[in-house]
Amino acid sequence: MKTEKREVEERMTHFETVLRREGVKLTHQRMEIFREVARTGDHPDAEQVFQRVRKHLPTVSLDTVYRTLWLLNDLGLVTTLGSSRERTRFDANLSSHHHFVCEQCGFTRDFYSTELDKIQLPDSVDSLGEIEATHVEVRGVCRNCVENQKPKTQS
Amino acid sequence: MKTEKREVEERMTHFETVLRREGVKLTHQRMEIFREVARTGDHPDAEQVFQRVRKHLPTVSLDTVYRTLWLLNDLGLVTTLGSSRERTRFDANLSSHHHFVCEQCGFTRDFYSTELDKIQLPDSVDSLGEIEATHVEVRGVCRNCVENQKPKTQS
DNA sequence: CCAGACTTAAGAATGATTATAGTTGTGGAG
DNA sequence: CTCCACAACTATAATCATTCTTAAGTCTGG
């Protein structure tokens, strides 16, 4: 559940380094919010972070939690689980397949691989619960978005 | 992009079979909504399905689209992409890891595997765009939910 | 110490999804 | 083929999470 103390310290250090490098101010709020996410392994949502941070900083606002989390996300200090900020998407393809998802535009394409279908999960996973499906998610930037991003560079 | 005609027909047949078996009424709306999802490979969201179905059934309501999609989901005829119905969750673990997600309660746990980190993706994926990260998502039912679901059955 | 970046507070706005209430249509019975 | 009960539909209003506004006060880093 909890992340090791040393690991948390390392993350905090990295956090401070990045904020300084980016010229972003180091406020308690930001520290406490990041620490809270860094110290737990249970992928909390904004509301949960808010509740926990409140214990140390009774006056934080939910708004700040949201703003900070997205800031941290933009700085590469945290990531979101699953497709962020997106609406729910549906899929009628019931056969075993995997996904390539573009982080910029959300473009998603199925791909197949008998190789991947044979994936062996570590034993530790079995102890977590009953496994129903396993699929590989590849995050990246689709061709379209790559093109549109470097319209000048031709070197 | 588009699914083969034969494949679509098969899905439609399966769809009708399941709805009859479950004693759920076969309405045009449901047929058109399912057909729409079945015939495309681009994982549309409810709004997109709504817009497309509208062309054939100008009076459908967005509400029906939502209700139907979740119904189809419950019947196992479609699945959702990424985390369904959930709030955005954040993760400060930047090292390569994978996830086990409980479909009932949303419980999510990281797991590691040097094996999985070495996954070889098929060439077809490279042509889709630039790959940034690959991770395995295991869906299932966590221990807690398994316990709570069969409090009586002991056979 | 100061400027400007940040935060708080309290609303209000947005956008996706869901509930309510009254109307319509499906599918089995006759 | 017609009728009826009730499932399902439409339209509208309500929710819920998230974001934005404004105004005033606070804190960080130079």
Side-chain angles (χ1 to χ4, degrees):
Chain A
M1 282 282 174
K2 284 192 177 173
T3 309
E4 284 179 40
K5 241 179 184 172
R6 192 182 44 231
E7 174 67 20
V8 176
E9 291 315 318
E10 278 174 22
R11 290 181 184 174
M12 289 308 296
T13 308
H14 181 224
F15 161 82
E16 296 186 16
T17 307
V18 173
L19 262 65
R20 288 219 172 80
R21 191 216 304 147
E22 301 291 328
V24 172
K25 294 194 170 165
L26 249 171
T27 63
H28 318 206
Q29 289 88 336
R30 286 175 178 166
M31 292 205 72
E32 290 306 321
I33 289 169
F34 178 73
R35 190 199 306 286
E36 210 44 62
V37 181
R39 105 166 120 207
T40 178
D42 67 355
H43 319 291
D45 58 37
E47 181 68 29
Q48 289 173 305
V49 174
F50 174 56
Q51 295 301 344
R52 294 175 194 169
V53 170
R54 247 186 169 172
K55 292 176 186 163
H56 307 290
L57 294 175
T59 61
V60 275
S61 66
L62 178 56
D63 193 68
T64 296
V65 172
Y66 275 107
R67 249 182 306 103
T68 303
L69 287 172
W70 289 121
L71 170 72
L72 296 175
N73 181 62
D74 291 344
L75 294 177
L77 290 165
V78 304
T79 51
T80 56
L81 225 64
S83 53
S84 58
R85 293 196 226 231
E86 279 222 337
R87 316 183 199 183
T88 308
R89 288 160 156 250
F90 298 85
D91 187 354
N93 183 355
L94 300 176
S95 54
S96 177
H97 64 284
H98 309 281
H99 293 128
F100 170 88
V101 185
C102 174
E103 296 191 307
Q104 316 262 303
C105 69
F107 163 89
T108 300
R109 183 76 149 261
D110 293 354
F111 67 88
Y112 301 85
S113 162
T114 48
E115 280 296 306
L116 299 187
D117 293 343
K118 291 181 205 151
I119 287 176
Q120 283 300 314
L121 298 174
D123 297 336
S124 59
V125 180
D126 292 295
S127 61
L128 295 174
E130 291 179 356
I131 295 168
E132 294 191 339
T134 298
H135 94 272
V136 177
E137 190 178 306
V138 178
R139 285 196 186 192
V141 183
C142 74
R143 286 197 149 181
N144 263 328
C145 288
V146 171
E147 304 275 315
N148 299 336
Q149 239 149 56
K150 44 177 184 186
K152 28 200 121 171
T153 17
Q154 61 120 43
S155 57
Chain B
M1 285 283 173
K2 284 191 180 173
T3 309
E4 283 179 42
K5 240 179 186 171
R6 191 183 46 232
E7 175 67 20
V8 176
E9 291 315 318
E10 279 173 21
R11 290 180 184 175
M12 289 305 299
T13 308
H14 181 224
F15 161 81
E16 296 186 16
T17 307
V18 173
L19 262 66
R20 289 221 171 79
R21 191 216 303 147
E22 300 292 328
V24 172
K25 294 193 173 167
L26 247 172
T27 64
H28 324 203
Q29 290 88 336
R30 285 174 178 167
M31 291 205 74
E32 291 305 319
I33 290 169
F34 178 72
R35 190 199 306 286
E36 210 45 61
V37 182
R39 103 166 122 209
T40 179
D42 66 358
H43 319 290
D45 57 37
E47 181 68 29
Q48 289 173 305
V49 174
F50 174 54
Q51 295 301 344
R52 294 175 195 169
V53 170
R54 245 187 170 174
K55 292 176 188 165
H56 307 292
L57 294 176
T59 62
V60 275
S61 67
L62 177 57
D63 189 68
T64 296
V65 173
Y66 274 106
R67 248 182 306 101
T68 302
L69 287 172
W70 289 120
L71 170 72
L72 295 174
N73 181 62
D74 291 345
L75 295 177
L77 290 166
V78 304
T79 51
T80 56
L81 224 65
S83 54
S84 56
R85 295 197 227 228
E86 281 223 334
R87 317 185 198 181
T88 308
R89 288 158 156 250
F90 298 84
D91 186 354
N93 182 355
L94 301 175
S95 56
S96 177
H97 64 284
H98 308 281
H99 293 129
F100 169 87
V101 185
C102 174
E103 296 192 306
Q104 316 261 303
C105 68
F107 164 87
T108 300
R109 183 75 149 263
D110 293 353
F111 67 88
Y112 302 85
S113 161
T114 49
E115 280 295 308
L116 298 188
D117 292 344
K118 291 182 206 150
I119 286 178
Q120 284 301 314
L121 298 174
D123 297 338
S124 59
V125 181
D126 292 295
S127 61
L128 294 174
E130 291 179 357
I131 295 167
E132 294 191 340
T134 298
H135 93 273
V136 177
E137 190 179 306
V138 178
R139 287 195 187 192
V141 183
C142 74
R143 286 198 150 179
N144 262 329
C145 289
V146 170
E147 305 276 315
N148 299 335
Q149 240 151 55
K150 44 176 184 185
K152 31 199 121 174
T153 17
Q154 61 118 42
S155 57

